[in-house]
Amino acid sequence: MQQTIEDALRGLDGEVESSEEVLASFADDFSRSSHRAAPLAVFRPRTAEAVSELMVLARRHGVRVTVRGQGHTTGGQSLAPGGIVLDTRGLHGVWELSEGAVWVGAGTLWSELVHETLSSSLMPPVLTGYLGLSVGGTLSVGGIGLRSYRYGAQTDNVLELEVVTGAGEHFVCSPDRHADLFDACRAGLGQFGTICAARLRLVEAPARVHAYDLLYTDPQVCLREQERLMQQGRFAEVGSMVVPHEGRWAYLLQLAFDGGPDSDGAGELLDDLPPPDGGCETMALSCREFVDRVEAKANAMKDAGLWAAPHPWTSFFLPASRMPDFVEELTVAMQVDDLGYGSIGLYPLRRGPFRTPGLRLPSDELFYLLAILPNAFPPSPERTAKLVELGRAFYRRCIDMGGTLYPIGLCPNEGWRLEAHPRRRELDPGGVLAPGLG
C-alpha cells in the first residue's frame, strides 16, 4: 500500500519525500523527546487543490494525514506515525498587501511576513516572540504574544481563511461566510480542516520601540506591577520572565513602548514602579530590529548547540488569582540548573480581546499564559525524563487551580480530549485528519 499511495501522491501538484533519512527526520518534533514511528511519506503541496486531492486519496486508502508547519509544537502534535505528513512549506507567499490586511500562505514564516509588511510600515497586531514559526501553525493553536493583552490571540486577528476539510472540500470562510468552519479551524489543532492561507489584519507599525527590562527578586512585586500596567494600558507590551540570578530565581519585568522616529522613550512611565533590585536595562530599536531580537538569540542558541537539545516544554493558561501560589510552587520544584538556558514566561492577559471559540481559557477575567520552556542541556535521557515528569506535574497542578492547557507543548493524556463538534463527522467523514491530543 505504501508504494500505491506514494505513486498516487506523485501525481499531485507538489513534492513527495519518502527516503528513510527524510522520513526519520519527520518522526520527531522540536522537543527532541516526542519520538514516534516514521510516516509513510511527506507531501509538500503547492496549491489548496492539491491538499483537497490528498484528502480524497487518504480517505480512499485509509491513511491519516497530519499537517506540519515548522514542527515547533513539542508534544508530538505534528507527527504522523504510519501516515502522511502534509508539509505546508509549499503553501508559501504574501499577496494582496493593503493598508489594513494581507493574504499569506500557511507555510510562510511570520518573520517573512513581517519583513514584507514592514516595507509598507505595517505589521500584524500580535506576534509571538520567536518568528521562525509558520502562519498556519500558530493559527492552528492560537498564537499568543506580549501584545495579546490588547489584541487577543493571532487567531482573533484573522479576517478570512482558505481551508480544505478532511472531506476534501475547499472553502474560503470568514465571520460572515461559513462562520462555523471559520470558528472551528482557528485554534482547531488541524482537526477540522487544513489552513492553506489566511487574510490577516494589519496595523500601523511603530517607527521605534523602547524596551525596558526591570529585575525584581520578589515575585509578588513583579506580578502585581505587570497586572497593574496591563490594566492601565500604558505600554504596548507587558510581561515577565522567571530567570536565574546569582544562583536563585528572580523576576524580569519586560515592558515596551511604541514611539515615533524622534521619540526618546517613555521613561516617565516608569516613575511610579518600585525601584528594581537588579537595575533597569533600556533599549531603543527600530521596529525591524525589535521583532528580530529573539531570532538573534535563537541563532546564538544554535551556535551553542542548545537548539538540538531536547525541549520538553509545556504551556498553560492560569487564573491570575492563582499565579502567586503557582509561581512559588514552580520555583521550589524546578531548580535553576533545570532550566538549561531555557526560559519561563509569564504573560498577563484579560478576556476582553479573546474571541476564538477553540482557544480554551480559564473563566476568570484576568489570567496568565505560563510558558515553561526548559532545555535538557547537557542532553541526557535522565535529564529529559526529569523535565518531562516536571511538566506533567505542573500540568496536573494547573488543572487543579482552574487553569487550561495551551496545547503547543507536552500534552499529557489525563483530562485532555477534543470536545465534540456538531460538524466534525461531516467535515472529516473518513477520520483522516490527525488524531491530535490525548
Side-chain angles (χ1 to χ4, degrees):
M1 178 177 289
Q2 178 178 355
Q3 185 64 37
T4 301
I5 195 165
E6 183 181 333
D7 285 344
L9 288 174
R10 294 189 186 282
L12 306 184
D13 186 7
E15 300 175 27
V16 180
E17 300 274 8
S18 58
S19 70
E20 288 188 11
E21 181 180 3
V22 170
L23 296 183
S25 70
F26 280 82
D28 205 348
D29 58 18
F30 184 65
S31 72
R32 311 289 194 271
S33 60
S34 296
H35 309 289
R36 301 287 191 277
L40 290 175
V42 175
F43 179 59
R44 192 171 299 123
R46 297 188 183 92
T47 65
E49 288 72 20
V51 175
S52 179
E53 292 170 344
L54 168 64
M55 296 303 170
V56 173
L57 280 176
R59 184 180 178 188
R60 182 184 306 155
H61 291 279
V63 174
R64 293 270 193 172
V65 177
T66 297
V67 182
R68 179 177 175 129
Q70 293 295 302
H72 264 259
T73 48
T74 57
Q77 297 93 321
S78 65
L79 305 182
I84 305 297
V85 172
L86 193 167
D87 183 350
T88 64
R89 286 180 293 178
L91 302 170
H92 181 276
V94 177
W95 62 96
E96 293 188 22
L97 173 59
S98 63
E99 183 176 345
V102 63
W103 272 103
V104 57
T108 308
L109 301 185
W110 284 96
S111 58
E112 297 167 334
L113 171 63
V114 171
H115 281 233
E116 186 76 23
T117 63
L118 283 179
S119 64
S120 299
S121 300
L122 298 168
M123 64 185 292
V126 177
L127 295 171
T128 56
Y130 177 59
L131 300 184
L133 309 173
S134 70
V135 169
T138 63
L139 295 185
S140 294
V141 294
I144 309 295
L146 286 175
R147 298 180 185 232
S148 288
Y149 88 89
R150 284 186 169 184
Y151 297 108
Q154 289 178 325
T155 48
D156 294 308
N157 293 278
V158 178
L159 303 176
E160 295 180 88
L161 288 175
E162 183 182 23
V163 170
V164 172
T165 70
E169 295 181 295
H170 183 194
F171 295 95
V172 174
C173 53
S174 71
D176 302 317
R177 181 168 47 163
H178 308 297
D180 53 349
L181 180 61
F182 182 72
D183 285 342
C185 289
R186 291 181 298 144
L189 303 170
Q191 298 297 283
F192 306 99
T194 298
I195 297 173
C196 298
R199 184 168 175 257
L200 305 177
R201 187 164 75 94
L202 298 177
V203 295
E204 183 179 355
R208 293 178 69 78
V209 180
H210 300 266
Y212 307 90
D213 289 349
L214 298 88
L215 189 69
Y216 293 97
T217 56
D218 186 341
Q220 312 300 330
V221 171
C222 186
L223 292 172
R224 182 192 70 225
E225 292 304 311
Q226 66 181 357
E227 289 175 27
R228 180 174 69 89
L229 295 175
M230 175 187 67
Q231 295 280 52
Q232 293 176 348
R234 64 169 83 170
F235 288 95
E237 297 191 1
V238 179
S240 65
M241 297 181 68
V242 185
V243 297
H245 177 65
E246 298 179 351
R248 302 173 56 192
W249 292 115
Y251 307 86
L252 190 68
L253 178 59
Q254 298 183 303
L255 308 171
F257 173 82
D258 291 345
D262 301 320
S263 171
D264 58 359
E268 68 278 2
L269 296 182
L270 304 174
D271 289 346
D272 64 348
L273 287 168
D277 304 298
C280 175
E281 181 182 353
T282 66
M283 293 179 290
L285 305 170
S286 70
C287 189
R288 188 179 296 271
E289 292 170 333
F290 184 74
V291 299
D292 284 343
R293 71 197 187 286
V294 176
E295 185 172 357
K297 294 179 182 178
N299 290 335
M301 290 178 66
K302 293 174 184 178
D303 292 341
L306 287 164
W307 209 251
H311 310 295
W313 292 355
T314 191
S315 296
F316 320 108
F317 295 111
L318 195 66
S321 61
R322 305 308 304 270
M323 277 299 293
D325 292 338
F326 193 96
V327 169
E328 181 178 356
E329 294 180 22
L330 168 69
T331 52
V332 170
M334 178 173 276
Q335 306 302 308
V336 169
D337 290 343
D338 291 333
L339 198 57
Y341 303 97
S343 63
I344 301 173
L346 311 176
Y347 293 13
L349 302 166
R350 54 190 183 87
R351 288 192 66 88
F354 288 87
R355 303 174 303 279
T356 301
L359 196 59
R360 295 162 176 83
L361 303 174
S363 58
D364 301 52
E365 173 62 26
L366 300 182
F367 59 98
Y368 276 80
L369 172 67
L370 174 59
I372 305 173
L373 314 178
N375 302 318
F377 191 83
S380 73
E382 296 76 18
R383 188 183 296 270
T384 301
K386 175 185 178 181
L387 293 174
V388 167
E389 185 50 44
L390 273 175
R392 289 174 173 162
F394 292 145
Y395 164 76
R396 291 190 289 268
R397 188 67 180 121
C398 167
I399 298 303
D400 290 343
M401 289 183 163
T404 58
L405 182 68
Y406 182 44
I408 62 173
L410 293 173
C411 299
N413 290 337
E414 307 93 7
W416 180 268
R417 293 292 183 273
L418 286 171
E419 297 176 1
H421 189 277
R423 293 191 62 199
R424 177 72 185 277
R425 191 162 294 181
E426 174 190 348
L427 296 173
D428 186 19
V432 302
L433 294 175
L437 314 180

